[in-house]
Each structure stands twice: as structure tokens, then as C-alpha cells.
Amino acid sequence: MLLKRQYITMLKLFNTNRLITPVLNKCNHSTAAKSVTAVKINGTEFISDEYTNVTPKIMSYLGKNLHLRKDNPLSMVRQRIVQYFYKSFTHRGNPTFSVYDNLSPIVTTKQNFDDLLIPADHPSRAKADCYYINKDTLFRAHMTAHQSELLRSGLNNFLMIGDVYRRDEIDSTHFPVFHQVDAVRSQRRDELFPNHPDLDIFEPTFYKQKPHLFTNTILDPTKQSCYTLEATKLMEVQLKNHLIGLVQALFGKDIKYRWVDAYFPFTHPSWELEIYYENDWLEVLGCGIVRNEILLNSGLNDTIAYAFGLGLERLAMALYKIPDIRLMWSEDSGFLSQFHNKDLNAKITYKPVSVFPQCVNDISFWLPDNFTIDTFMSNDFYDLVRDIGGDIIEQVKLKDKFVHPKTKKHSLCFSIVYRHLERTLTQAEVNQIHKAIETAIVTAFNVTIR
Ligand code: DAH
């Protein structure tokens, strides 16, 4: 979930509070799921523009706060992670890390991208991958969006936990809303090397030139040019130990893991941690040494910091053997009761309440002239399917593509897998929804059903 998502793998980029009330002034599917003209949040009205692509369906997830709900598995994993950090790090009897789990998911592009040194032309900013309210405002795509503001407010060690939003394909491990824990731990020279007054965290040239005259580079794969190798390595060792400690606290001492070199615009060096789970390597988090530019811009000129971000769904699915990500949203007592009043550290294995049958219907259409398979915005299509079908859409997969030899028109065929988590769907009701999807895509994308 976390980093395997399309653009993340490609580029290695990578609580709602009760006060948020979405107000939909106008819904119009003829503009390809770009249906909101004004959104009111905490009394603030956002005017839509050519970037607006947030859908009513997506807005309906605001304020759900699964990560804070008592019997939700995501909330249990959250509590175990918080507990681990509270127990492992204390300062004069107080927890070192402070926890922010109720930050508004509506953020600016500055918070989500600019503050994190994500270049203006970086593809992770694409409309095809994010839910924009307008060109300056979006539903956060990762919890790292809050890193700079919390640093600026004077915090040194903190966890940020909440819901994040990304446009993506549909299957059993992908949902457009999921949950992350992101963290920063920063240290000054005296904290990192308390017994070594001779060791420094900065290269001497960095001091001599004053930070604003020094260009920090990431050309050396082992470290940023402003930091010493000793400081970088010690932070790396601490970071890795703390995170291995975390996965061992969750999965047990015998969990097999490996570190993989990675790239993120906001850290250098960067790594991903994978655990061996059900005969395969599963990526569970991204991390690294925070780019010094971010710290300087936040007013910190004497620190080195590490950061990491992990996805709660992935961990919860692996820990409790939950086969489908949509179950996290289930209100069904058959699901929730399995997590009700359980000891946080109890070993829980999810038992399917019952498995209801799937219904698979195909949808084939010709794209309009001038459209090719590559220029067709499939994430727009997925959003529209989910807008109409709701949570009974289990999967949408491309089945076939074809270019007509004479007309050169492009045709696509998708299989839509329908399944209700709590009851059997009849073919007749599926056909009705399928028909509604056909009608909507004809209007939205000007396609011709085959
Ligand atoms: N924000 C990244 C993502 O969503 C994950 C991440 C990687 C967070 C490295 C971090 C970090 O804080 O240091 O894919």
C-alpha cells in the first residue's frame, strides 16, 4: 500500500476532525468525476478550478477516523506503535515523542510538496494521482505533509497519524483512502554525542560558510554534504534499530527483514524496510535522514534528524491476516467483534464471517477520436466506477486492449468485479449498477460502448 503504489514505485516519492463538513454545491458527472464546484471545510469555502478532481464519494470519507475507532484493527496497530515509542523513549519520565493523530487532511500544495523539496514538475503532483480541491489545496497524499509545520512549531520528536488520499487502481490491497504513521526524531550535537565533545554533526565547511551560503548536496550516496559521516552513520544505526525493534514488537522476534536502498526527495540517504511475510517480501516503510534544507527552512540550524513513514493497512492486514482492504471500513459486527475489547498484544487471526460470491461483468468501449490507450486517464475511470458502484466494487482490471486496423480507434475492455462483504448480490442488481456505470462513462468520457 504505502510505497508500491504506481507513482511511488516509479519515482520513490514517496483525522480528520469532526469540524470538517463537506458541502457539495453541485454534482455533475458529465465532467468525468470532477464534480465539486465549492467545498466548505471548517467554514472555509474552496473555489474549484481546473485542478478540482475530488469526488463526493471521496469527501464522504472525511472525518471517519478509522485509526481512532475503538474496535478497528487500524486503531489497534496505531496504539501498538505509539506504545512502542512511548516505552522505548522517555526523557525524565515523560514520553519523548508527542503524537498528532487529529490533524486536518486538507493541506496546501506547499505542505504536501514544496516544503518537502518535491520539485514543481514532479509527477507525484499529477492530477491523475492526487485528490485536489483546487490547484493550491488537496487531500494530503502522505502524512509527511505535516513534517515542516510541526518542526517549525518547535517539536523535535513526534508521530503524525492519519488518513491519506491517493487515486489508484482498485483491488484487494488498494483503497483511495488509507492511513499512515509518519515520524521525526531530531538530535543536536550534545544529544547525539554526549560523551564525545570532539565529534561534531556538521562538516567544518558548513560552519565556516554559514548555512545559507553552503549548498547542501546529496551526491555522496552515504551522506548529505553538510553532515559528518559519524553523525550520519550513528543516526542510521539508531533509525534502523528503532524500526527493527518496532517490527519485532509487532510481529515477534523471529520476523525476517531486509533493508533496501531507496530515494525520497525529503531524505538522504533513504531506505525501505521489507519483512518476509507469506513467502514474499512485503515493503512496510520508507525512511531516511531528513534533508538539512527542510530543517533550516523550519528554523533548526543545529540538528540532524531521521524520519520514517509506514502504512497502517498493510501492517494490519499482515498482522491479523485480513484478506481485503475494504474490510477495514466494515461496520459489520461479525468483523468488528473479532477486535472488540481485545488485549492489544493478543494474537488475533481474522476469521472470514462468510464469503459471498463475486459477480464479474465486463465493460468494453471505443475511445473517442484522438484518444489512445496511453492518454486515457484510467484513474478518472476508476473514480467514476467507485462513485457509482460504491464499496461493492472489489476490483477493476484491464482485460483487453485493441486498436482497430482500419479506423485506428482504440478500444478497452475492463472486468469489474462486484462483491458485497456482508451479503450475496443478485445478478439483476449488479446489472443495474453496471448499466449506470456504462451510461456515466459515455457522458463523462465520450466513449462508445461496444
Ligand atoms: N511519505 C512517504 C510515502 O508516503 C513515506 C516516507 C518515506 C515518509 C520517508 C518519511 C520518510 O517520513 O522519511 O510514500
Side-chain angles (χ1 to χ4, degrees):
M1 161 73 53
L2 171 68
L3 306 159
K4 283 258 155 62
R5 313 192 133 233
Q6 281 164 347
Y7 70 89
I8 299 294
T9 9
M10 198 168 60
L11 299 147
K12 290 293 168 220
L13 200 214
F14 13 70
N15 343 321
T16 322
N17 52 50
R18 265 159 266 110
L19 298 173
I20 292 178
T21 38
V23 173
L24 308 183
N25 288 352
K26 197 175 108 194
C27 290
N28 174 6
H29 269 303
S30 66
T31 49
K34 299 168 191 68
S35 51
V36 182
T37 54
V39 188
K40 205 171 192 178
I41 297 158
N42 278 354
T44 311
E45 195 151 291
F46 297 90
I47 301 302
S48 68
D49 58 20
E50 70 286 0
Y51 263 75
T52 311
N53 63 0
V54 61
T55 66
K57 178 77 191 156
I58 289 300
M59 294 192 63
S60 74
Y61 295 112
L62 282 174
K64 295 275 190 221
N65 286 339
L66 292 188
H67 62 290
L68 299 176
R69 290 217 194 159
K70 194 166 164 292
D71 296 332
N72 194 287
L74 298 174
S75 175
M76 296 180 65
V77 180
R78 168 190 61 87
Q79 291 175 70
R80 290 183 65 180
I81 295 172
V82 170
Q83 223 174 47
Y84 169 80
F85 279 94
Y86 277 175
K87 268 199 203 141
S88 313
F89 306 92
T90 50
H91 181 66
R92 298 202 188 113
N94 292 319
T96 304
F97 281 83
S98 35
V99 177
Y100 291 81
D101 56 16
N102 203 18
L103 299 161
S104 169
I106 312 293
V107 298
T108 59
T109 47
K110 179 173 180 298
Q111 290 172 293
N112 202 82
F113 304 115
D114 305 342
D115 284 351
L116 295 167
L117 314 179
I118 297 168
D121 58 353
H122 199 279
S124 66
R125 298 181 182 238
K127 271 166 71 179
D129 290 318
C130 302
Y131 287 105
Y132 280 94
I133 298 173
N134 58 35
K135 70 173 181 8
D136 304 316
T137 326
L138 71 160
F139 284 26
R140 65 187 165 210
H142 55 175
M143 286 307 292
T144 326
H146 300 285
Q147 186 181 90
S148 286
E149 81 198 65
L150 293 183
L151 283 168
R152 215 171 289 135
S153 75
L155 294 165
N156 300 320
N157 302 288
F158 50 91
L159 302 174
M160 304 159 270
I161 311 175
D163 40 345
V164 300
Y165 298 75
R166 288 186 204 166
R167 306 183 71 194
D168 212 337
E169 63 211 347
I170 301 175
D171 64 28
S172 64
T173 58
H174 291 91
F175 200 79
V177 191
F178 57 105
H179 299 77
Q180 289 187 328
V181 176
D182 218 274
V184 174
R185 171 159 175 75
S186 53
Q187 287 180 288
R188 290 188 312 269
R189 202 213 69 77
D190 55 310
E191 293 164 314
L192 193 62
F193 299 126
N195 305 321
H196 293 274
D198 49 320
L199 293 180
D200 208 329
I201 61 177
F202 291 109
E203 290 289 356
T205 44
F206 183 75
Y207 277 133
K208 278 192 213 123
Q209 298 188 16
K210 301 211 170 101
H212 64 280
L213 295 175
F214 181 93
T215 309
N216 190 25
T217 67
I218 54 169
L219 300 172
D220 178 344
T222 59
K223 69 181 205 61
Q224 300 173 41
S225 61
C226 69
Y227 291 124
T228 59
L229 189 59
E230 303 85 85
T232 310
K233 281 287 168 200
L234 186 51
M235 286 299 280
E236 174 182 341
V237 167
Q238 291 188 0
L239 168 63
K240 290 183 170 174
N241 278 337
H242 296 161
L243 290 173
I244 289 163
L246 174 65
V247 294
Q248 286 179 337
L250 294 173
F251 290 92
K253 283 270 175 241
D254 296 333
I255 186 79
K256 251 170 63 179
Y257 61 82
R258 69 178 185 195
W259 289 100
V260 179
D261 286 341
Y263 170 77
F264 301 102
F266 31 90
T267 48
H268 183 79
S270 310
W271 304 274
E272 284 164 2
L273 177 58
E274 297 183 345
I275 59 170
Y276 199 66
Y277 171 74
E278 289 193 342
N279 305 322
D280 208 358
W281 288 103
L282 178 72
E283 184 188 318
V284 290
L285 61 85
C287 62
I289 308 295
V290 176
R291 291 271 296 267
N292 181 254
E293 296 89 320
I294 298 177
L295 300 179
L296 279 184
N297 291 340
S298 307
L300 291 167
N301 61 8
D302 58 356
T303 33
I304 183 165
Y306 75 56
F308 68 85
L310 57 82
L312 282 179
E313 271 76 355
R314 218 173 234 207
L315 291 175
M317 287 173 81
L319 263 178
Y320 307 125
K321 304 220 181 330
I322 299 172
D324 190 315
I325 195 167
R326 291 175 303 161
L327 282 162
M328 301 297 174
W329 298 85
S330 175
E331 303 278 353
D332 185 56
S333 61
F335 176 77
L336 292 173
S337 63
Q338 299 192 30
F339 302 94
H340 180 64
N341 275 347
K342 288 281 177 351
D343 176 346
L344 273 187
N345 298 313
K347 189 171 160 46
I348 303 172
T349 303
Y350 169 70
K351 289 176 226 54
V353 192
S354 62
V355 176
F356 298 97
Q358 296 177 326
C359 276
V360 184
N361 282 21
D362 288 353
I363 195 161
S364 309
F365 46 85
W366 294 107
L367 296 180
D369 290 344
N370 308 326
F371 267 84
T372 68
I373 286 150
D374 296 328
T375 55
F376 179 70
M377 300 293 271
S378 42
N379 280 348
D380 283 343
F381 171 69
Y382 297 143
D383 268 329
L384 192 56
V385 173
R386 210 194 294 269
D387 262 6
I388 292 172
D391 293 343
I392 66 166
I393 305 293
E394 180 173 275
Q395 213 182 331
V396 182
K397 43 187 182 191
L398 184 61
K399 189 174 173 188
D400 198 16
K401 42 190 181 184
F402 169 72
V403 183
H404 193 286
K406 289 220 175 87
T407 63
K408 299 280 180 270
K409 270 183 168 284
H410 289 228
S411 156
L412 294 177
C413 175
F414 288 92
S415 287
I416 305 184
V417 183
Y418 298 86
R419 189 194 329 236
H420 202 293
L421 289 172
E422 284 136 24
R423 65 183 176 85
T424 301
L425 290 170
T426 64
Q427 189 62 54
E429 68 180 314
V430 168
N431 289 350
Q432 214 177 355
I433 295 162
H434 198 72
K435 189 87 210 135
I437 292 173
E438 284 185 347
T439 313
I441 64 165
V442 168
T443 327
F445 308 117
N446 200 17
V447 299
T448 313
I449 302 292
R450 293 184 64 180

